[in-house]
């Protein structure tokens, strides 16, 4: 079997390559031209260069491929239309090229943010991607990761890394909504195994799975765990939502330039603690808890 991983030079992509190689799968990756991270891919991986927003540039990578794991996407941007062009349009191109190459299976790595009651531009683009995949005519599986945490903390998922930097930055930090929002963060190692299994399990075809950790935590609890591990005793000040939305400066504290205020606050506003029983039963998914108290 030959599996192609788009966005394979990213943190999750490289780990997925290692997981698939360990399962005796032949692995190709599609990475952006000039991406220096391609030099850190595991030995034995075949590298193709192309941009998912340019269908012609990626066709060669799909020739002879049995299984595609589509990870290529952007999580953060303030550029108008970037999410639509790369996440939605890029997925549409991947679907069309995969069909033309007679790929047998497609796994789409979406996001739990598509379940939020009000979608950010990022969430809208990932939901559009899901629609292209479901209507592709290809055997498909969709996975929706929650908040990704790597070990040691601060080396993995972009969103969690921003949260860590925020609560560690000042002796006093504001918590929108009082930190009551519930999350089910996932260890990056568990996430990668879940993604791999989604493409290798026959019963996963036509299904959508949330890939989350074992433990449900509030944002306030996560902040406490981060500070405890860092040996810090910072003080949290609960901030009502109406004030959080008014304080444009909060955007720069939480996310900085690459993030819109809407996206910076969405993670504090909406729960992301999905049920994972179908992933456990269908995939043999057995996640742990990424944070210790």
């Amino acid at each position: 079997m030959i599996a192609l991983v788009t966005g394979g030079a990213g943190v999750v992509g490289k780990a997925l390559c290692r997981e698939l190689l360990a399962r005796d799968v032949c692995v190709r990756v599609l990475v952006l031209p000039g991406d220096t991270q391609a030099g850190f891919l595991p030995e034995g991986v075949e590298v193709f260069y192309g941009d998912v927003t340019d269908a012609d540039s990626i066709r060669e990578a799909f020739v002879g491929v049995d299984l595609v794991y589509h990870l290529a996407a952007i999580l953060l941007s303030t550029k108008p239309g970037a999410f639509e062009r790369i996440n939605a349009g890029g997925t549409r191109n991947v679907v069309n090229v995969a069909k033309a190459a007679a790929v047998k299976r497609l796994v789409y790595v979406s996001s739990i943010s598509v379940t939020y009651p009000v979608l950010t531009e990022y969430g809208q683009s990932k939901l559009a991607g899901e629609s292209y995949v479901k209507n592709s005519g290809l055997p498909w599986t969709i996975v929706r990761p929650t908040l990704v945490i790597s070990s040691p903390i601060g080396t993995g998922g972009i969103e969690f890394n921003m949260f860590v930097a925020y609560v560690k930055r000042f002796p006093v930090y504001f918590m929108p909504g009082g930190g009551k929002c519930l999350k089910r963060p996932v260890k990056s190692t568990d996430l990668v195994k879940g993604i791999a299994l989604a493409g290798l399990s026959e019963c996963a075809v036509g299904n959508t799975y949330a890939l989350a950790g074992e433990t449900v935590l509030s944002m306030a609890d996560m902040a406490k765990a981060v500070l405890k591990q860092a040996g810090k005793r910072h003080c949290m000040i609960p901030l009502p939502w109406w004030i959080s939305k008014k304080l444009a400066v909060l955007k720069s504290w939480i996310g900085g330039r690459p993030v819109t205020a809407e996206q910076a606050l969405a993670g504090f506003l909406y729960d992301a603690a999905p049920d994972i029983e179908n992933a456990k039963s269908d995939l043999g998914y057995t996640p742990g808890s990424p944070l210790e108290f």
Side-chain angles (χ1 to χ4, degrees), residues 115-129:
T115 65
Y116 290 172
V118 177
L119 298 183
T120 62
E121 285 187 60
Y122 170 73
Q124 291 171 0
S125 70
K126 296 301 280 187
L127 189 61

Side-chain angles (χ1 to χ4, degrees), residues 29-164:
V29 298
L30 179 67
V31 299
L32 285 168
D35 190 337
T36 58
Q37 289 300 308
F40 298 97
L41 284 161
E43 185 178 350
V45 169
E46 188 177 12
V47 181
F48 285 76
Y49 292 93
D51 187 335
V52 294
T53 65
D54 178 2
D56 289 337
S57 75
I58 67 175
R59 295 188 193 280
E60 185 181 359
F62 285 73
V63 176
V65 166
D66 301 294
L67 167 63
V68 173
Y69 289 94
H70 179 39
L71 279 67
I74 57 168
L75 276 71
L76 307 173
S77 179
T78 56
K79 296 180 180 178
F83 291 120
E84 169 63 26
R85 182 175 63 87
I86 298 171
N87 295 352
T91 300
R92 182 175 59 242
N93 287 339
V94 165
V95 165
N96 291 336
V97 173
K99 289 176 67 176
V103 167
K104 300 181 180 68
R105 185 92 173 265
L106 174 61
V107 176
Y108 177 52
V109 179
S110 182
S111 167
I112 201 63
S113 66
V114 302
T115 65
Y116 290 172
V118 177
L119 298 183
T120 62
E121 285 187 60
Y122 170 73
Q124 291 171 0
S125 70
K126 296 301 280 187
L127 189 61
E130 288 193 8
S131 179
Y132 293 133
V133 170
K134 289 179 179 179
N135 294 304
S136 67
L138 293 167
W140 57 267
T141 303
I142 293 171
V143 295
R144 295 171 175 170
T146 57
L147 196 63
V148 183
I149 299 179
S150 295
S151 182
I153 286 177
T155 61
I158 294 174
E159 292 175 294
F160 186 72
N161 289 353
M162 290 193 304
F163 176 72
V164 169

